[in-house]
Amino acid sequence: MKVLLTMLSFLLVPRVCEAVSILVGIMQGSSFHAARIEVTAGSFDVQGAGQLRIASGQSFELIAEGSQVVIRRGEERIANASSITLKGNGEFRIAATGLKATGRIYPGELIAKATGGRLLLLNRLDVEEYIPGVIEAEAGARHTLEYYKVQAIISRTYALSNLRRHEAEGFNLCDQVHCQVYHGRPRFVPEAVTATNETFDVVIVDDDINLITAAFHSNCGGHTLNAEHVWSKPLSYCVGRRDTFCLVMPNSNWEKSIPLDQWTRYLDSKRFPQDDSLEVEALAYFPQEKELYFVDERTRIPMRTIRTDFKLRSAYFTVHRDGAAVRLIGQGFGHGVGLCQEGAMRMAQLGYSYKDIIQFYYHGVHLVPRRFIWFFKED
Ligand SMILES: [Zn+2]
Ligand SMILES: [Zn+2]
């Protein structure tokens, strides 16, 4: 009965009433005090500036003055307000003063604020309109449609479970790696829109029907890790597993040479134990599988600390003495928890479905439309 009800409700509930709008802090990677906004399609009403309406092809400037935003067109100062909103049905481009032009085009609304003479730009849009931009920025071009569907679902799940990440700053998510990279609507990957539409509203939930923390990384190096091995908290669905799909991919291997004296000084600074057999292994280290500590637990030097200190691509490597240097030969790229993007790309090429791929990397999860989470939670 429940299955039947679910199927019926899926058919009956219209998509349009389900939009979730999010507020993304854009161009967060740099600081600027002024920007030129050019409307590239449609038209916008500018709220906070009287009756101003800007149509396609027209532009204006926003300038931060203390905590006020000033609107200027050419030499004419039109208005100033603590917040200015562009509301309409089009798209716009932003050129910030002092920064290189990017060509990025944004849909949705633009909200401008000022703090301490710095301009803060926010893009309000429907989450389904935001996802294609994230797919393009996070995954790039030339992948299968099935892989883009995987990226759509993990990015949607991530966005909806992290809406409070920038609460203190007055928006939901930033547009940097800190949250998810977002450069406006996709311009080079049209499949990003298809993948978003074909997985409309679908998110990943755990056994308690809570949105999962959809962690992902570039390449696990052949084995993913438990969440608690990298962060403090275990996650029931982020359980380490062997992954042979990512072994021959662009980010499968890396190498780094470090001068021998720098390496030994580093280990001394970490209080590497004075033990002959350990010291031999510090220069010739070949772990059989992913280890959490360098050489063994007695050293108390986590592999991921070495990764951070030497800016390595992963915490999974062997050590070889090479004359006056040590050569680190590593596998994978990233923290190794959750979904391995290059493994997922390979699975998609081999014909696995997006559901198979997501369930391979996240243990015991379910895919459900977000708007029906309440239904599954009821009993
Ligand atoms: Zn962020
Ligand atoms: Zn992998």
Short mmCIF file of all heavy atoms in Angstrom, two decimals, residues 217-224 241-247 290 332 338-344 360-361, ligand 2:
data_model
loop_
_atom_site.label_atom_id
_atom_site.label_comp_id
_atom_site.label_asym_id
_atom_site.label_seq_id
_atom_site.Cartn_x
_atom_site.Cartn_y
_atom_site.Cartn_z
N HIS A 217 35.71 13.23 -2.97
CA HIS A 217 37.10 13.64 -3.20
C HIS A 217 37.48 13.19 -4.60
O HIS A 217 36.74 12.43 -5.24
CB HIS A 217 38.01 12.99 -2.15
CG HIS A 217 37.89 11.50 -2.14
ND1 HIS A 217 36.89 10.86 -1.44
CD2 HIS A 217 38.58 10.55 -2.79
CE1 HIS A 217 36.99 9.56 -1.66
NE2 HIS A 217 38.01 9.34 -2.48
N SER A 218 38.64 13.59 -5.08
CA SER A 218 38.99 13.32 -6.48
C SER A 218 39.31 11.83 -6.74
O SER A 218 38.74 11.22 -7.64
CB SER A 218 40.20 14.18 -6.86
OG SER A 218 40.63 13.84 -8.15
N ASN A 219 40.24 11.25 -5.97
CA ASN A 219 40.65 9.86 -6.23
C ASN A 219 41.11 9.25 -4.90
O ASN A 219 41.97 9.82 -4.22
CB ASN A 219 41.79 9.85 -7.26
CG ASN A 219 42.17 8.43 -7.68
OD1 ASN A 219 42.40 7.57 -6.83
ND2 ASN A 219 42.25 8.19 -8.97
N CYS A 220 40.55 8.10 -4.53
CA CYS A 220 40.86 7.52 -3.20
C CYS A 220 42.17 6.74 -3.19
O CYS A 220 42.63 6.35 -2.13
CB CYS A 220 39.70 6.65 -2.71
SG CYS A 220 39.55 5.07 -3.58
N GLY A 221 42.74 6.47 -4.37
CA GLY A 221 44.00 5.73 -4.43
C GLY A 221 43.81 4.22 -4.30
O GLY A 221 44.79 3.49 -4.12
N GLY A 222 42.58 3.73 -4.34
CA GLY A 222 42.35 2.29 -4.31
C GLY A 222 41.60 1.81 -3.08
O GLY A 222 41.19 0.66 -3.01
N HIS A 223 41.43 2.70 -2.09
CA HIS A 223 40.67 2.32 -0.90
C HIS A 223 40.13 3.58 -0.25
O HIS A 223 40.89 4.48 0.05
CB HIS A 223 41.57 1.55 0.09
CG HIS A 223 40.80 0.63 0.98
ND1 HIS A 223 39.95 1.09 1.97
CD2 HIS A 223 40.72 -0.72 1.01
CE1 HIS A 223 39.40 0.05 2.57
NE2 HIS A 223 39.84 -1.06 2.02
N THR A 224 38.82 3.63 -0.02
CA THR A 224 38.27 4.81 0.67
C THR A 224 38.47 4.62 2.18
O THR A 224 38.83 3.54 2.63
CB THR A 224 36.77 5.01 0.35
OG1 THR A 224 36.04 3.92 0.89
CG2 THR A 224 36.52 5.11 -1.16
N ARG A 241 36.25 1.25 1.86
CA ARG A 241 36.11 0.04 1.04
C ARG A 241 37.13 0.06 -0.09
O ARG A 241 37.63 1.11 -0.49
CB ARG A 241 34.69 -0.09 0.49
CG ARG A 241 34.28 0.94 -0.53
CD ARG A 241 33.00 0.51 -1.20
NE ARG A 241 33.18 -0.80 -1.83
CZ ARG A 241 32.18 -1.60 -2.20
NH1 ARG A 241 30.93 -1.23 -2.03
NH2 ARG A 241 32.43 -2.76 -2.77
N ARG A 242 37.43 -1.14 -0.59
CA ARG A 242 38.36 -1.27 -1.69
C ARG A 242 37.70 -0.73 -2.95
O ARG A 242 36.51 -0.93 -3.18
CB ARG A 242 38.67 -2.75 -1.88
CG ARG A 242 39.99 -3.03 -2.45
CD ARG A 242 40.26 -4.52 -2.29
NE ARG A 242 40.63 -5.10 -3.58
CZ ARG A 242 41.80 -4.89 -4.17
NH1 ARG A 242 42.70 -4.14 -3.58
NH2 ARG A 242 42.07 -5.43 -5.33
N ASP A 243 38.48 -0.01 -3.76
CA ASP A 243 37.94 0.59 -4.98
C ASP A 243 38.97 0.39 -6.09
O ASP A 243 40.02 1.01 -6.08
CB ASP A 243 37.70 2.09 -4.73
CG ASP A 243 37.26 2.82 -5.98
OD1 ASP A 243 36.93 2.16 -6.99
OD2 ASP A 243 37.24 4.07 -5.95
N THR A 244 38.67 -0.51 -7.02
CA THR A 244 39.62 -0.75 -8.11
C THR A 244 39.29 0.10 -9.33
O THR A 244 40.03 0.12 -10.30
CB THR A 244 39.63 -2.23 -8.51
OG1 THR A 244 38.28 -2.61 -8.80
CG2 THR A 244 40.17 -3.11 -7.41
N PHE A 245 38.16 0.83 -9.28
CA PHE A 245 37.72 1.60 -10.46
C PHE A 245 38.61 2.81 -10.73
O PHE A 245 38.69 3.30 -11.83
CB PHE A 245 36.27 2.05 -10.29
CG PHE A 245 35.29 0.91 -10.27
CD1 PHE A 245 34.66 0.54 -9.09
CD2 PHE A 245 35.02 0.18 -11.42
CE1 PHE A 245 33.76 -0.52 -9.07
CE2 PHE A 245 34.13 -0.87 -11.41
CZ PHE A 245 33.50 -1.23 -10.23
N CYS A 246 39.28 3.31 -9.68
CA CYS A 246 40.01 4.58 -9.84
C CYS A 246 41.50 4.37 -10.05
O CYS A 246 42.28 5.32 -9.99
CB CYS A 246 39.77 5.46 -8.62
SG CYS A 246 40.40 4.73 -7.10
N LEU A 247 41.94 3.12 -10.30
CA LEU A 247 43.38 2.86 -10.28
C LEU A 247 44.14 3.38 -11.50
O LEU A 247 45.34 3.63 -11.43
CB LEU A 247 43.65 1.36 -10.09
CG LEU A 247 43.21 0.81 -8.72
CD1 LEU A 247 43.49 -0.68 -8.62
CD2 LEU A 247 43.91 1.55 -7.58
N LYS A 290 46.35 1.11 3.29
CA LYS A 290 46.33 2.47 3.84
C LYS A 290 46.54 2.42 5.35
O LYS A 290 45.77 1.79 6.07
CB LYS A 290 44.98 3.12 3.55
CG LYS A 290 44.94 3.84 2.24
CD LYS A 290 43.70 4.69 2.13
CE LYS A 290 43.69 5.38 0.79
NZ LYS A 290 42.48 6.19 0.58
N GLY A 332 46.27 8.44 -5.34
CA GLY A 332 45.04 9.16 -5.04
C GLY A 332 45.24 10.65 -4.86
O GLY A 332 46.37 11.17 -4.88
N GLY A 338 34.08 8.94 1.53
CA GLY A 338 32.87 9.03 0.72
C GLY A 338 33.11 8.68 -0.73
O GLY A 338 33.85 7.74 -1.03
N LEU A 339 32.50 9.47 -1.62
CA LEU A 339 32.55 9.12 -3.04
C LEU A 339 33.86 9.55 -3.67
O LEU A 339 34.34 10.67 -3.47
CB LEU A 339 31.37 9.78 -3.76
CG LEU A 339 31.23 9.45 -5.23
CD1 LEU A 339 29.79 9.08 -5.58
CD2 LEU A 339 31.68 10.62 -6.11
N CYS A 340 34.44 8.61 -4.42
CA CYS A 340 35.68 8.84 -5.16
C CYS A 340 35.26 9.25 -6.57
O CYS A 340 34.68 8.44 -7.31
CB CYS A 340 36.48 7.54 -5.14
SG CYS A 340 37.81 7.42 -6.33
N GLN A 341 35.49 10.52 -6.93
CA GLN A 341 34.96 11.02 -8.21
C GLN A 341 35.51 10.25 -9.42
O GLN A 341 34.76 9.90 -10.31
CB GLN A 341 35.29 12.50 -8.39
CG GLN A 341 34.44 13.43 -7.55
CD GLN A 341 34.89 14.87 -7.71
OE1 GLN A 341 36.02 15.20 -7.37
NE2 GLN A 341 34.03 15.71 -8.24
N GLU A 342 36.82 9.99 -9.43
CA GLU A 342 37.37 9.31 -10.60
C GLU A 342 36.92 7.85 -10.68
O GLU A 342 36.74 7.32 -11.78
CB GLU A 342 38.90 9.43 -10.63
CG GLU A 342 39.31 10.86 -10.97
CD GLU A 342 40.78 11.02 -11.31
OE1 GLU A 342 41.58 10.14 -10.95
OE2 GLU A 342 41.12 12.03 -11.94
N GLY A 343 36.72 7.21 -9.52
CA GLY A 343 36.16 5.86 -9.52
C GLY A 343 34.74 5.89 -10.06
O GLY A 343 34.34 5.03 -10.86
N ALA A 344 33.97 6.91 -9.63
CA ALA A 344 32.58 7.04 -10.08
C ALA A 344 32.53 7.31 -11.59
O ALA A 344 31.67 6.78 -12.30
CB ALA A 344 31.90 8.16 -9.30
N PHE A 360 27.54 2.21 -4.10
CA PHE A 360 28.87 1.60 -3.96
C PHE A 360 29.72 2.42 -2.98
O PHE A 360 30.41 1.87 -2.14
CB PHE A 360 29.56 1.55 -5.35
CG PHE A 360 30.95 0.97 -5.32
CD1 PHE A 360 31.16 -0.40 -5.33
CD2 PHE A 360 32.07 1.81 -5.30
CE1 PHE A 360 32.45 -0.94 -5.30
CE2 PHE A 360 33.35 1.29 -5.28
CZ PHE A 360 33.54 -0.09 -5.27
N TYR A 361 29.64 3.74 -3.08
CA TYR A 361 30.51 4.59 -2.24
C TYR A 361 29.91 4.98 -0.89
O TYR A 361 30.64 5.29 0.05
CB TYR A 361 30.93 5.85 -3.01
CG TYR A 361 31.92 5.52 -4.11
CD1 TYR A 361 31.54 5.52 -5.45
CD2 TYR A 361 33.23 5.15 -3.80
CE1 TYR A 361 32.44 5.19 -6.45
CE2 TYR A 361 34.14 4.83 -4.79
CZ TYR A 361 33.74 4.85 -6.11
OH TYR A 361 34.64 4.52 -7.09
ZN ZN B 2 38.74 5.43 -5.70
#
